[in-house]
Amino acid sequence: MTTPIFYVNGDPHLGTAYAAINADAFARWHRLLGDEVLFLTGTDEHGLKIQQSADEHGVSPQVWVDHTASRFLGAWRELDISFDDFIRTTQERHHRTVQQFLTAIYENGFIEKGFYVGLYCVACEAYYEESELLEGSRCPVHERPVTEMSEENYFFKLSAFTDRLIELYESGAIRVTPEFRANEVLGFLRQGLKDISITRTSITWGVKVPWDDNHVFYVWYDALINYLTAIEYGEDTGRFAQWWPAVHHLLGKDIIRFHAVWWPAMCLAAGIDPPSQLLVTGWLLVDGAKMSKSSSNQIDPLSVVREMSSDTLRYYLLSSTSFGADGDVSLERLRASYNADLANDLGNLVSRTVALIVQKFGGKAPLVPSLDERNVTLMEFVSNGITAWNEFHPNVAIGAAMEMVRSSNSLLEHYEPWRRPVDDPESAWCLGTIREALRLAALLLSPAIPQAAHGVIERLGLSDLGPLEWRPGGEISELSRAEPLFPRLQKEK
Ligand code: MSP
């Protein structure tokens, strides 16, 4: 599982955190299924944009990237991003991989020298065709004017791969989620591809072209190769074969062309398989506009973590927008989702269940009953949740888990154990059922809210999240009242 590597021209914001959190949830889900997972993230540290940010701050590019990369690393830790490796493109290991990979492409005859004149957006680090621009020669992503650039540089013969790429998408050999994005890619491919310029002489902040000292590679061309750096392409064939091409690249819709067209073509040109799956997210919007570093509408994810918790932010981002679609976000809605779903539904049910077990059963948790017609429908939520995670629909999976919580709450309201005598068998059945339903809901929610899921398990007196199936009997444990899982927020700010 990979995230895009993040530009270090500013601090992380909610939009960049969204990519990391989605990838993290999928990585966690697959670990939970028992799959062997290698989860990669990192920072994209070369290129004109970074050089310009360093200049603006009056420091060298290296000082600037060290500073900002550590902000991303720190933020991802606070957001519980469970990455196995963090690749920085200024690392020596990455330079080595880029040079080996591109030398393979060069030797295979797919890189040639040429002259390029084009319209460039520095914020995108990409050339645009006139026809793609907004009125006034403005970039379609940043809505800022593009600049004309001309350079002698090396070209990658992308055009040679048009038909093979079409075949790969038509046959489903490269899977794309959501599927409509594959059609978009096919539409683009069918217009035919142009060769792309992949080196620069105008800047020095980049990976040196091994066969020509005057050139550095164009930032996108070096960045994509980060995915191979961590699995030791060209250095450890066993490790490379273990992980490639079974890769799941998660990326935003703004960078689909690089991942769906360039990257597979680069892999084919170097003689390796293309990646097998692309997972494409939509954008987080603020009042209809993309949240981005270049338009000051960012929300700082760490301020949310400090006010509430990392789980709160993760829950909101994963549940409020369906995967692949754009979603408008706001702090008011985030607080509302915390209060309604986490504090009211989940947090309250856990507190009430524990309190009733303490009051009516002296803290000894009743055993989990077998499934019968009164509680078997709860398992439908589990199976819906499993399917949804497997198909990359976090909001549906979370929805299924929360339905399970709400149905359990209805059971509690129906049996009213608080009105019944101590050690009442019906209450024992009801509370045993709810304890198991809460365990399964926590399990399904754990890729999204890992800390709170463990909080639920601890409060229920269990030692771990356990299996994804109903477990009659269960552990005998002593429960005691604990701090609320999600304290209600005071006044909305
Ligand atoms: N450095 C390139 C990626 C190279 S991958 C080989 C890049 N970096 S980025 O920092 O600009 O963006 C990283 C990811 O964050 C992208 O997937 C992008 O779509 C995502 N997001 C940035 N802003 C976003 C929103 N407002 N909403 C959702 N995701 C967005 O592109």
Side-chain angles (χ1 to χ4, degrees):
M1 175 63 66
T2 70
T3 73
I5 49 171
F6 300 89
Y7 284 133
V8 286
N9 59 329
D11 281 342
H13 58 75
L14 223 55
T16 40
Y18 184 62
I21 290 172
N22 267 290
D24 182 64
F26 296 136
R28 286 177 184 272
W29 172 249
H30 281 277
R31 287 196 198 106
L32 203 145
L33 292 179
D35 295 340
E36 221 177 323
V37 174
L38 180 71
F39 175 26
L40 309 178
T41 188
T43 41
D44 191 351
E45 305 187 359
H46 293 128
L48 192 51
K49 179 148 83 167
I50 307 295
Q51 201 171 321
Q52 285 177 351
S53 305
D55 288 347
E56 278 162 26
H57 289 83
V59 293
S60 70
Q62 190 63 53
V63 167
W64 174 248
V65 298
D66 285 348
H67 166 77
T68 326
S70 71
R71 311 265 302 173
F72 272 88
L73 194 61
W76 284 183
R77 291 216 169 104
E78 284 198 53
L79 291 171
D80 295 314
I81 308 300
S82 60
F83 54 86
D84 296 300
D85 200 346
F86 192 96
I87 302 115
R88 297 185 52 189
T89 55
T90 49
Q91 288 166 339
E92 215 264 317
R93 61 173 176 161
H94 178 68
H95 283 229
R96 253 187 355 252
T97 309
V98 170
Q99 290 178 335
Q100 282 185 23
F101 184 75
L102 291 168
T103 300
I105 299 184
Y106 186 57
E107 284 171 356
N108 289 342
F110 292 109
I111 293 179
E112 276 177 357
K113 216 170 195 176
F115 193 76
Y116 197 84
V117 185
L119 299 166
Y120 198 74
C121 168
V122 177
C124 293
E125 294 278 17
Y127 281 105
Y128 281 98
E129 293 292 321
E130 195 100 49
S131 60
E132 296 173 305
L133 297 176
L134 304 177
E135 209 179 294
S137 291
R138 288 172 308 124
C139 149
V141 176
H142 296 89
E143 302 182 8
R144 289 205 200 148
V146 293
T147 42
E148 188 169 297
M149 301 248 276
S150 65
E151 303 187 81
E152 183 195 54
N153 45 35
Y154 287 91
F155 279 73
F156 171 54
K157 290 178 149 177
L158 183 64
S159 56
F161 296 92
T162 313
D163 294 341
R164 288 192 51 203
L165 289 175
I166 291 179
E167 244 173 65
L168 286 172
Y169 287 100
E170 277 181 345
S171 67
I174 301 180
R175 293 187 305 278
V176 187
T177 305
E179 262 176 61
F180 75 87
R181 295 270 174 221
N183 296 332
E184 214 174 272
V185 173
L186 274 168
F188 177 71
L189 289 170
R190 287 189 186 119
Q191 292 168 19
L193 296 174
K194 289 198 177 144
D195 296 343
I196 48 174
S197 102
I198 59 161
T199 66
R200 298 284 181 268
T201 49
S202 51
I203 60 166
T204 49
W205 185 242
V207 180
K208 282 212 150 35
V209 174
W211 60 87
D212 189 335
D213 274 354
N214 295 325
H215 292 253
V216 296
F217 286 110
Y218 163 46
V219 58
W220 262 105
Y221 221 71
D222 113 44
L224 287 160
I225 300 166
N226 91 87
Y227 301 131
L228 303 180
T229 298
I231 54 170
E232 294 175 82
Y233 164 87
E235 304 209 333
D236 182 338
T237 23
R239 184 164 157 76
F240 176 73
Q242 183 190 357
W243 297 108
W244 197 265
V247 66
H248 294 66
H249 289 313
L250 184 131
L251 51 127
K253 66 177 185 179
D254 47 329
I255 54 175
I256 189 167
R257 206 175 282 184
F258 300 106
H259 284 83
V261 179
W262 291 23
W263 179 228
M266 286 161 70
C267 291
L268 294 172
I272 65 169
D273 286 326
S276 48
Q277 169 112 49
L278 305 177
L279 300 161
V280 187
T281 70
W283 282 344
L284 295 186
L285 311 174
V286 177
D287 299 328
K290 183 188 180 216
M291 188 186 299
S292 74
K293 284 170 211 152
S294 39
S295 59
S296 54
N297 60 0
Q298 306 169 34
I299 298 178
D300 172 12
L302 299 186
S303 68
V304 178
V305 174
R306 277 164 212 142
E307 186 193 343
M308 290 163 264
S309 65
S310 111
D311 282 340
T312 310
L313 177 66
R314 296 171 59 107
Y315 182 88
Y316 175 63
L317 292 185
L318 292 170
S319 64
S320 65
T321 307
S322 66
F323 188 88
D326 291 349
D328 214 78
V329 291
S330 75
L331 283 174
E332 292 70 54
R333 280 196 291 267
L334 185 147
R335 293 194 185 99
S337 110
Y338 175 93
N339 277 335
D341 294 5
L342 297 177
N344 260 0
D345 291 348
L346 179 60
N348 257 351
L349 183 62
V350 173
S351 301
R352 290 175 80 195
T353 305
V354 173
L356 285 164
I357 292 174
V358 170
Q359 243 176 50
K360 301 289 183 183
F361 294 89
K364 288 215 170 31
L367 292 181
V368 176
S370 302
L371 288 172
D372 61 30
E373 73 285 351
R374 291 172 294 170
N375 55 10
V376 72
T377 50
L378 289 171
M379 286 311 284
E380 275 171 34
F381 301 124
V382 176
S383 98
N384 293 346
I386 293 174
T387 311
W389 276 123
N390 283 340
E391 293 175 356
F392 303 101
H393 294 304
N395 67 325
V396 179
I398 292 172
M402 293 309 290
E403 282 295 308
M404 182 129 175
V405 168
R406 286 186 275 270
S407 286
S408 304
N409 204 36
S410 307
L411 270 183
L412 199 65
E413 294 298 326
H414 179 77
Y415 282 88
E416 301 185 314
W418 53 91
R419 291 195 199 284
R420 294 172 182 265
V422 293
D423 292 333
D424 173 68
E426 296 274 283
S427 294
W429 180 90
C430 168
L431 292 168
T433 290
I434 293 177
R435 189 162 81 125
E436 181 63 353
L438 277 172
R439 179 187 71 79
L440 285 162
L443 190 55
L444 282 177
L445 288 170
S446 65
I449 50 171
Q451 290 192 27
H454 283 96
V456 172
I457 293 305
E458 229 175 84
R459 283 166 177 75
L460 296 177
L462 301 169
S463 49
D464 57 36
L465 286 163
L468 268 167
E469 57 202 34
W470 194 263
R471 190 172 54 174
E475 296 168 45
I476 300 183
S477 42
E478 289 278 335
L479 269 60
S480 53
R481 283 175 198 263
E483 293 288 298
L485 199 54
F486 295 101
R488 269 193 83 82
L489 295 180
Q490 293 312 315
K491 263 202 110 37
E492 310 236 314
K493 286 181 197 157

